Amino acid sequence: MSTTRKEYAVAVAGATGAVGGAMLEVLERKNFPLRELRLLASERSVGKKLTFRGEEIAVQQLTKDAFQGIDIALFSAGGDRSLEFAPAAAGAGAIVVDNSSAFRMDPEIPLVVPEVNPHAIAGYKKRGIIANPNCSTIQMLVALKPIYDKVGIRRIVVSTYQAVSGTGAKAIVELQNQIMAYAEGRPLEAKVYPHQIAFNCLPQIDSFLDNGYTKEEMKMVNETRKIFEDPAIGVTATTVRVPVFYGHSESVNIETKTKITAEEVKQLLAGAPGVSLVDEPKNGVYPMAIDCAGKFETLVGRIREDESIANGINLWVVSDNILKGAALNAVQIAEKLIAEHI
Ligand code: NAP
Ligand code: 3JN
């Protein structure tokens, strides 16, 4: 008996952007079952053609009426557009997967990393919206989930080394221009970032809050607590922009509730979903940003015991911030939706 695979109408809001483009790449690489693909962006892009599976599709304007007949709407057009258009998309019957921070901390909206809390997807029914976490949170929790389940985690201390692509296309051009200007002995111009990014590290991602942390740092704290459903877990973050084009790296130090050895962590992570263990330091083998671009897995290595406390582990975690950090995670949520919920 032959079975016909069900196909879905999917809209991508922000299709002309860095994350939107990566969503098209992931839908294509995963052979997502599509009946229709509707590409939406601003008025500026209307009529522009994007190629998908070898065919050109014209971009339409993102409006409240653009979602008729859509099953799943993937949003990456910025938080203001999500606030304005996602409820209308859900009202038209689409399930929205939103990449912005607009709805992440809304208690009625699930915040999902499929390898970590897939059960939360079922909560989409309340508002028709599922939120995608921040890229830095996603890769950290993919690496920590197996340890969390095995021995519990009391506290996380994380420092990030984030690529400029997290800020978008203008930031990539700014880093390229500053490198060229430096090589040619010209003055370096900073427009996107508050200081020179070439040959520098900026301990600021997003704006500062009254508690001295940046918004990016507090996203990592609050999103971790929501996804682990653990308001008591201690999390402290320092987020840093570095002159790397693609791939966020993170130094993650954890205090577990009971003892786990570095060897046991390696064994756990070797078989963990979404993780690729890259940990032969004596052979010069460890995760590096230059190796993660285009990969779906989160690379984890430099796993060792923190000898300064009883139950401490250090890890180095690297992932493609545009793929697992945004587009891939959203498409994985859509895959779970069609496999288990709709
Ligand atoms: P981008 O390259 O600047 O792309 C922005 C997209 O939004 C473009 O498609 C743009 O369309 C569209 N857009 C802008 N203003 C619009 C408007 N008024 N109406 C309709 N569409 C509009 O930015 P990006 O790097 O892809 O990031 C987009 C968003 O994704 C971010 O703002 C953020 O919320 C989210 N994001 C999340 C993560 C994460 O950690 N999960 C990481 C990166 C980004 P035009 O081309 O027509 O202007
Ligand atoms: O800076 C990075 O590396 C990640 C950036 C994420 C981002 C950029 C602009 C707006 C976000 C996000 O996903 O948290 C947002 C947002 O608040 O929606």
Side-chain angles (χ1 to χ4, degrees):
M1 200 173 73
S2 72
T3 51
T4 312
R5 201 162 73 131
K6 199 171 167 200
E7 294 181 328
Y8 299 85
V10 172
V12 177
T16 51
V19 176
M23 283 171 169
L24 303 189
E25 177 198 327
V26 176
L27 289 168
E28 192 160 338
R29 278 173 69 178
K30 283 179 160 285
N31 195 22
F32 194 92
L34 290 168
R35 184 176 73 243
E36 180 191 343
L37 181 61
R38 201 172 296 172
L39 305 182
L40 306 170
S42 79
E43 206 177 353
R44 297 178 288 274
S45 299
V46 171
K48 186 176 170 180
K49 296 207 170 89
L50 301 179
T51 305
F52 182 78
R53 290 181 184 161
E55 281 178 35
E56 291 196 325
I57 304 177
V59 176
Q60 303 175 38
Q61 190 174 349
L62 172 60
T63 65
K64 289 182 180 167
D65 298 327
F67 297 93
Q68 293 306 321
I70 292 293
D71 301 306
I72 297 172
L74 306 175
F75 268 69
S76 66
D80 290 346
R81 262 69 62 195
S82 297
L83 287 170
E84 187 175 357
F85 299 107
I95 303 169
V96 173
V97 183
D98 181 41
N99 250 289
S100 81
S101 60
F103 302 105
R104 285 182 195 150
M105 296 316 297
D106 186 324
E108 292 196 333
I109 292 180
L111 181 64
V112 176
V113 181
E115 295 89 341
V116 181
N117 62 338
H119 63 276
I121 290 177
Y124 81 86
K125 290 185 187 108
K126 264 193 187 151
R127 300 268 295 278
I129 301 173
I130 299 168
N132 209 56
N134 178 270
C135 43
S136 298
T137 311
I138 294 175
Q139 68 180 69
M140 180 171 80
L141 297 196
V142 165
L144 294 186
K145 169 70 172 170
I147 308 170
Y148 186 90
D149 286 349
K150 186 85 179 170
V151 288
I153 296 176
R154 203 183 300 284
R155 178 166 185 252
I156 304 171
V157 181
V158 55
S159 299
T160 69
Y161 305 66
Q162 296 183 219
V164 295
S165 53
T167 316
K170 280 186 193 152
I172 295 174
V173 172
E174 178 148 308
L175 176 56
Q176 284 167 338
N177 287 345
Q178 288 183 2
I179 294 167
M180 291 300 290
Y182 181 87
E184 292 163 10
R186 289 185 283 111
L188 276 62
E189 252 188 286
K191 289 187 190 151
V192 176
Y193 295 117
H195 304 280
Q196 171 186 329
I197 181 65
F199 316 107
N200 201 6
C201 298
L202 304 178
Q204 175 185 0
I205 296 187
D206 210 330
S207 51
F208 282 98
L209 299 165
D210 288 343
N211 65 358
Y213 287 83
T214 63
K215 280 189 183 170
E216 185 83 352
E217 288 162 350
M218 292 316 294
K219 283 174 189 174
M220 293 192 78
V221 174
N222 296 323
E223 294 175 17
T224 296
R225 290 182 173 151
K226 179 167 175 174
I227 295 163
F228 276 160
E229 298 170 14
D230 184 352
I233 192 170
V235 184
T236 188
T238 303
T239 57
V240 181
R241 188 73 65 195
V242 296
V244 164
F245 287 108
Y246 293 96
H248 287 0
S249 304
E250 297 179 346
S251 163
V252 183
N253 173 268
I254 56 170
E255 183 182 357
T256 56
K257 289 190 176 165
T258 56
K259 175 76 185 168
I260 187 165
T261 66
E263 205 42 54
E264 286 167 333
V265 171
K266 285 180 202 174
Q267 280 169 17
L268 271 181
L269 291 181
V275 171
S276 174
L277 186 68
V278 182
D279 202 11
E280 293 172 45
K282 287 190 175 154
N283 297 326
V285 175
Y286 32 70
M288 294 191 290
I290 54 169
D291 293 329
C292 76
K295 287 203 172 83
F296 283 176
E297 293 77 25
T298 292
L299 315 182
V300 187
R302 298 295 324 279
I303 296 168
R304 68 223 118 98
E305 280 150 53
D306 173 356
E307 296 175 346
S308 71
I309 52 169
N311 299 331
I313 291 286
N314 283 309
L315 312 96
W316 179 249
V317 181
V318 176
S319 198
D320 185 320
N321 53 303
I322 302 295
L323 287 178
K324 185 56 187 166
L328 171 63
N329 198 72
V331 174
Q332 286 176 317
I333 292 171
E335 285 184 320
K336 287 260 174 214
L337 272 172
I338 65 171
E340 294 165 26
H341 298 276
I342 57 176

